[in-house]
């Protein structure tokens, strides 16, 4: 069942979303060659204490850390580790959710570490653009897969592929709510979008094939062909005035 949020609930989600966005921006600035992914997790915990929010992923289905950090061919759900050192040329996906006062927020960015390959640059650019193409379609009266299709079309136009095994989701009083929001689909299909829906839209994009496999840790998803992957995510409210990006520092 898709839970519609009231205006006052959306305002609360916007407050939390802005905090999430500020934290993610600080984490993205913190990422540099020579630090470990565990250092980033530690900093995420420190920022959560500072802003008085809880890291939403910690303990979720047994997830052992506060943030998911997926480097290079890792697609999503990379677990921070002290011996996973970030290097120049890496692309680092930071996926971070927060909880406060009964509400959740979820966001992801992929950051290049110093100089990266042209392919990685265009992979990051196309994934971010695809997210915004999807958000543009998060409009009252559209259908869910109008979002999916816009994402898929932009990704494939750029010669990349959208991951099928993971999808976006409704969000609010739970981290994952209905509906699922695939990053592939057909225009005019899926449920009708209504004011009050809040969606975490999150294209995961592979440079090669869309197939993924899960590593022995039971969490980390990597590309099956070893090629690079990028991820961007925003929590977005559908309103009568159009899509409202809740995880935005500019709001
Ligand atoms: N950010 C992920 C999502 O959007 C959630 C991570 S699952 C966790 O669905 F277990 F790592 F928390
Ligand atoms: Co999400």
């Amino acid at each position: 069942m898709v839970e519609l949020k009231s205006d006052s609930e959306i305002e609360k989600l916007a407050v939390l979303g802005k905090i999430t966005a500020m934290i993610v921006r600080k984490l993205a600035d913190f990422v540099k060659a020579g630090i470990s992914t565990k250092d980033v997790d530690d900093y995420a915990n420190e920022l959560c204490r500072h802003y008085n929010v809880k890291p939403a992923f910690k303990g979720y289905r047994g997830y052992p850390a506060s943030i998911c950090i997926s480097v290079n061919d890792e697609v999503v759900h990379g677990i921070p580790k002290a011996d996973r050192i970030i290097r120049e040329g890496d692309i680092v996906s930071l996926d971070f959710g927060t909880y406060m006062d009964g509400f959740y927020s979820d966001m992801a960015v992929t950051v290049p570490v110093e100089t990266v390959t042209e392919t990685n640059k265009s992979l990051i650019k196309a994934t971010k653009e695809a997210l915004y193409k999807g958000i543009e379609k998060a409009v009252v009266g559209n259908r869910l897969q109008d979002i999916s299709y816009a994402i898929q079309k932009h990704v494939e136009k750029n010669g990349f592929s959208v991951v099928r095994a993971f999808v976006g989701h409704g969000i609010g009083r739970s981290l994952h709510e209905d509906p699922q929001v695939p990053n592939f689909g057909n225009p005019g299909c899926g449920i009708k979008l209504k004011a009050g829906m809040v969606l975490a839209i999150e294209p995961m994009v592979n440079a090669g094939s869309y197939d993924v496999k899960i590593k022995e840790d039971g969490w980390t998803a990597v590309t099956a062909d070893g090629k690079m992957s990028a991820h961007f995510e925003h929590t977005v409210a559908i309103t009568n005035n159009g899509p409202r990006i809740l995880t935005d520092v500019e709001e």
Side-chain angles (χ1 to χ4, degrees), residues 3 27 36 55 89 115 177 221-222:
E3 299 244 5
L27 295 172
S36 75
T115 313
E177 296 183 359
V222 295

Side-chain angles (χ1 to χ4, degrees), residues 3-59:
E3 299 244 5
L4 299 182
K5 279 79 185 175
S6 67
D7 289 349
S8 74
E9 288 174 324
I10 289 176
E11 291 313 317
K12 284 185 185 166
L13 285 164
V15 170
L16 183 59
K18 189 178 248 176
I19 293 173
T20 309
M22 287 193 293
I23 293 176
V24 169
R25 189 161 73 180
K26 288 192 158 84
L27 295 172
D29 289 343
F30 181 72
V31 166
K32 57 187 168 301
I35 68 167
S36 75
T37 54
K38 170 75 162 54
D39 293 331
V40 182
D41 192 64
D42 289 343
Y43 188 38
N45 286 323
E46 186 186 320
L47 289 167
C48 281
R49 285 191 295 272
H50 179 261
Y51 286 104
N52 254 305
V53 297
K54 292 231 145 48
F57 303 166
K58 185 130 200 175

